[in-house]
Amino acid sequence: DVKVTQSSRYLVKRTGEKVFLECVQDMDHENMFWYRQDPGLGLRLIYFSYDVKMKEKGDIPEGYSVSREKKERFSLILESASTNQTSMYLCASSFAKGAYSYEQYFGPGTRLTVT
Amino acid sequence: AQSVTQLDSHVSVSEGTPVLLRCNYSSSYSPSLFWYVQHPNKGLQLLLKYTSAATLVKGINGFEAEFKKSETSFHLTKPSAHMSDAAEYFCVVSPLRGSSNTGKLIFGQGTTLQVKP
């Protein structure tokens, strides 16, 4: 079974703090993704990575950065947390072969509250 | 450009009755399509996927979906709802990979399924 794990299920941080969310997958997937999910807005892609040290901006990258030093690990960084970054954060991974995008496998999510 | 539309934001059924969650897609080619389920405060779980083999796809927990190219639809069904089916469901389309998408998927806005006892 594919397993995607996230470092925390629940996190509470103060405004201005630097926040690290970590994601690890065990299926040797090339692609990894970070989404945030908010009521009424669905899933929105923050950043994705298609290889080690490679990254591309998604739809809402402002206020975030990412790091992928090893194939299995993809970190999301909030340089200076703000209250509007309170959200559910989901990590996912997938293979990268063929003409179509493969299904993504998701972690359990991290519910981040910034006060 | 590819897109996906879930026609109902909220569906309510009684336990033991059929479930129908509707999804239409827009694509200039025959895409890969997926349905995911998300229970409260959990991640998304793959229910089933269509990848141009059989048009009727069976998934986990008794769900199935039928790909209808003429109608550009991929509706999710289950003959008999169970209380544990209450969750949010996402219809997802896979665009052709290229330098601009590299594995990205396009998610519908979701349909919340309520199951009444």
Side-chain angles (χ1 to χ4, degrees):
Chain A
D1 264 2
V2 176
K3 192 151 190 180
V4 180
T5 57
Q6 295 183 228
S7 50
S8 305
R9 289 302 313 277
Y10 299 93
L11 209 52
V12 179
K13 294 292 182 181
R14 292 194 180 275
T15 301
E17 277 192 84
K18 191 169 186 176
V19 181
F20 292 87
L21 302 182
E22 296 215 314
C23 175
V24 177
Q25 51 94 3
D26 66 357
M27 277 299 292
D28 203 34
H29 285 166
E30 293 85 359
N31 294 333
M32 296 189 75
F33 307 83
W34 275 107
Y35 296 90
R36 66 176 283 177
Q37 185 178 28
D38 302 287
L41 296 177
L43 266 74
R44 293 182 291 169
L45 182 64
I46 305 172
Y47 266 98
F48 67 101
S49 169
Y50 51 90
D51 202 350
V52 175
K53 296 190 186 295
M54 305 304 287
K55 60 188 178 185
E56 284 201 20
K57 294 179 180 179
D59 302 317
I60 51 163
E62 296 78 19
Y64 303 94
S65 62
V66 290
S67 173
R68 192 168 181 199
E69 296 296 318
K70 294 185 177 182
K71 190 175 185 179
E72 67 271 18
R73 189 179 298 269
F74 191 35
S75 301
L76 180 70
I77 303 154
L78 287 65
E79 295 290 343
S80 177
S82 65
T83 54
N84 63 13
Q85 292 178 310
T86 291
S87 186
M88 173 71 124
Y89 289 87
L90 293 164
C91 175
S93 70
S94 73
F95 283 116
K97 300 175 187 174
Y100 297 100
S101 301
Y102 277 67
E103 64 269 28
Q104 294 177 13
Y105 294 87
F106 284 80
T110 295
R111 188 164 292 282
L112 173 67
T113 302
V114 183
T115 61
Chain B
Q2 298 83 39
S3 66
V4 59
T5 302
Q6 292 184 241
L7 298 170
D8 306 290
S9 59
H10 189 99
V11 170
S12 182
V13 302
S14 296
E15 191 175 19
T17 64
V19 175
L20 170 64
L21 305 183
R22 300 182 295 163
C23 172
N24 284 356
Y25 69 92
S26 171
S27 177
S28 56
Y29 56 91
S30 193
S32 291
L33 293 157
F34 312 95
W35 275 99
Y36 282 84
V37 61
Q38 184 182 29
H39 289 93
N41 292 309
K42 297 286 178 68
L44 276 71
Q45 180 185 16
L46 182 67
L47 266 182
L48 51 80
K49 61 181 178 182
Y50 166 77
T51 54
S52 75
T55 56
L56 183 62
V57 182
K58 293 190 184 300
I60 61 172
N61 301 333
F63 284 94
E64 60 182 38
E66 186 171 9
F67 174 73
K68 291 188 176 180
K69 188 174 182 179
S70 60
E71 299 176 10
T72 61
S73 70
F74 189 57
H75 301 334
L76 182 70
T77 60
K78 183 173 181 178
S80 175
H82 192 273
M83 294 298 292
S84 61
D85 295 327
E88 188 156 18
Y89 292 79
F90 293 92
C91 183
V92 180
V93 65
S94 165
L96 277 172
R97 288 183 60 236
S99 59
S100 63
N101 64 56
T102 323
K104 291 196 289 187
L105 298 176
I106 299 170
F107 288 80
Q109 286 297 304
T111 298
T112 300
L113 175 65
Q114 180 187 23
V115 181
K116 296 178 289 188

